[in-house]
Amino acid sequence: MWKTFVAWFHRMGSPKWFYEITGRWIPWFAAAAVLLITVGTTWGLAFAPADYQQGNSFRIIYIHVPAAILAQSIFFAMAIAGGIGLIWKMKVADMVAKSCAPIGATMTFIALFTGAVWGKPTWGAWWVWDARLTSMLILLFLYFGVIALQSAFDSKQSAARASAILSLVGVVNIPIIKYSVDWWNTLHQPATFKLTEKPAMPPEMWMPLLVMVIGFYCFFAVVLMMRTRNEILEREKRTQWVQGLLSEKG
Amino acid sequence: MYFESFSEFLNMGGHGLYVWMAYGLSAVLLAINVVLPIMHKGQLVKEQARKLRREQKTS
C-alpha cells in the first residue's frame, strides 16, 4: 500500500506523466461538473422550497456555500502543494500551488459577493464588519498576496518558495473563518453542514446544496488541471515532448 | 416545481434582483475561469508554431 503510494507520488512529480494522466481525467471531471452544477442550480432555484423566514433570497445559498467551502479548501490545497514543493522540490507541486491561487480568489470573491447580495434583503446591509465576513475578506487579500508574489520574482523557484511560505502562514486564517461564527457574536448564521450533526434543514433544501458542493469540487479539479497543464507546457517548452505536442496541434 | 408560473419564478417573491444578480455574476466569473486557460493554451500553441517557422527559415 505504502509502496504504491510512494511510486504514485514519484510519478506525479514527472510533468510529462502529470500532463498525460490529467488529459485523460479532464473530460470526466468536466462532464461531472456540468451535470452536477446544472442539476443543483435547477433544483435549488426552481424546486427547493423557500425559507419560511428569508423567502426566496435563501436560494443564494446554493452558490454562496459551495463557493465559500471551495475558497477554504483551495487555500488548504495551495498550502499543501506549496509545502510539498518547498520540502521535496517537486516542480509539479509548485505549479499546482500557483494554479490554485486565481481559482481560489474567484471562489472567495463569489462567496463575498453573493453574501453581500444575500445580506441586503436579509440583514438590511450589504456589508457588516463581522468576524466571518472580515476573515473571508482577509482570505481574499491572502490570495491576492500569493498571486502578486508569484509574479514578483524572475526566478520561478523563488516565486514558488515565497508563495508557499505565505500560503502556509495564511492557513491559520482557515480555522479562524470556520470557528468565527462560534467564537464571536455574529450576524452570520452557523454552518449548514457539520460532520457530527444532521443538517438543521430539511433534505429537500440540503440535497441540492450537497449536489452543488460536489459539482464545485469537480469544477475546481477541471480548471486546476487546465491551468497546471498550461504551466507545464510553458516551463517545459524546451523539452522534446512539449515541442512535439505543441507543434502537432499548431 | 415550487413556483406557479415563469414570471413568479423570475420575481422570486420580490427578491428576484438579488437572486439573479448573485447567480448571474457567479456564472460569468466561473465562465471566465474556464475561458482564460483555454485562451492561454491557444496562445502557447501559436507561439510554438511561430518558433518552428522561424527555425525552418534560418536552417
Side-chain angles (χ1 to χ4, degrees):
Chain A
M1 175 70 197
W2 178 247
K3 259 189 188 160
T4 0
F5 176 74
V6 171
W8 179 81
F9 193 75
H10 275 281
R11 266 195 300 175
M12 239 12 214
S14 142
K16 183 168 187 276
W17 188 81
F18 184 94
Y19 193 91
E20 278 160 9
I21 194 86
T22 50
R24 266 179 278 155
W25 289 348
I26 283 178
W28 296 101
F29 278 97
V34 169
L35 186 74
L36 291 167
I37 292 175
T38 311
V39 168
T41 308
T42 320
W43 195 350
L45 275 176
F47 293 92
D51 186 75
Y52 78 103
Q53 271 181 326
Q54 303 181 0
N56 287 301
S57 66
F58 130 90
R59 296 180 194 282
I60 295 173
I61 200 173
Y62 298 113
I63 20 180
H64 178 74
V65 167
I69 290 177
L70 264 289
Q72 298 166 73
S73 299
I74 295 172
F75 200 91
F76 211 61
M78 181 171 75
I80 291 173
I84 291 175
L86 208 58
I87 298 166
W88 287 290
K89 308 263 174 277
M90 196 195 262
K91 267 194 284 181
V92 174
D94 286 344
M95 298 188 229
V96 167
K98 184 182 179 186
S99 304
C100 279
I103 314 168
T106 309
M107 290 298 176
T108 315
F109 183 81
I110 291 178
L112 285 167
F113 179 81
T114 55
V117 171
W118 191 4
K120 186 61 186 162
T122 313
W123 304 336
W126 298 101
W127 183 265
V128 284
W129 288 103
D130 140 310
R132 174 55 74 79
L133 279 68
T134 310
S135 51
M136 273 305 270
L137 189 64
I138 291 172
L139 185 71
L140 183 64
F141 291 147
L142 283 169
Y143 273 123
F144 287 161
V146 171
I147 294 170
L149 279 181
Q150 285 286 4
S151 53
F153 295 86
D154 286 329
S155 135
K156 301 250 182 211
Q157 246 190 338
S158 318
R161 202 177 308 144
S163 317
I165 291 168
L166 179 60
S167 316
L168 286 165
V169 173
V171 159
V172 292
N173 191 37
I174 301 294
I176 296 178
I177 296 173
K178 180 164 169 41
Y179 294 108
S180 57
V181 284
D182 306 323
W183 290 344
W184 290 282
N185 270 324
T186 101
L187 267 179
H188 197 283
Q189 62 199 57
T192 309
F193 292 126
K194 285 181 189 147
L195 287 176
T196 47
E197 290 165 41
K198 272 196 193 155
M201 282 182 182
E204 55 277 30
M205 279 182 172
W206 66 252
M207 269 158 49
L209 184 55
L210 189 63
V211 170
M212 282 301 260
V213 171
I214 301 169
F216 266 58
Y217 270 108
C218 293
F219 175 87
F220 164 59
V222 173
V223 283
L224 177 67
M225 288 190 272
M226 286 165 73
R227 276 185 181 275
T228 310
R229 283 158 63 86
N230 284 348
E231 203 64 39
I232 289 175
L233 291 182
E234 214 168 347
R235 291 199 206 181
E236 307 280 300
K237 64 182 163 202
R238 276 177 203 90
T239 64
Q240 218 160 15
W241 74 272
V242 169
Q243 289 187 349
L245 202 113
L246 282 176
S247 42
E248 258 169 49
K249 300 209 170 133
Chain B
M1 183 71 95
Y2 176 79
F3 298 93
E4 303 268 306
S5 67
F6 188 66
S7 59
E8 236 180 75
F9 172 65
L10 287 182
N11 185 38
M12 286 280 159
H15 287 147
L17 179 68
Y18 302 112
V19 173
W20 296 117
M21 200 155 63
Y23 276 83
L25 187 93
S26 306
V28 170
L29 288 175
L30 292 186
I32 290 175
N33 267 274
V34 177
V35 171
L36 282 182
I38 292 176
M39 281 170 49
H40 187 196
K41 171 122 187 222
Q43 204 188 320
L44 289 170
V45 171
K46 230 184 271 169
E47 266 170 36
Q48 176 67 17
R50 215 176 301 140
K51 208 182 123 206
L52 272 181
R53 246 174 295 148
R54 248 198 333 260
E55 278 167 10
Q56 273 162 1
K57 255 182 220 161
T58 48
S59 63

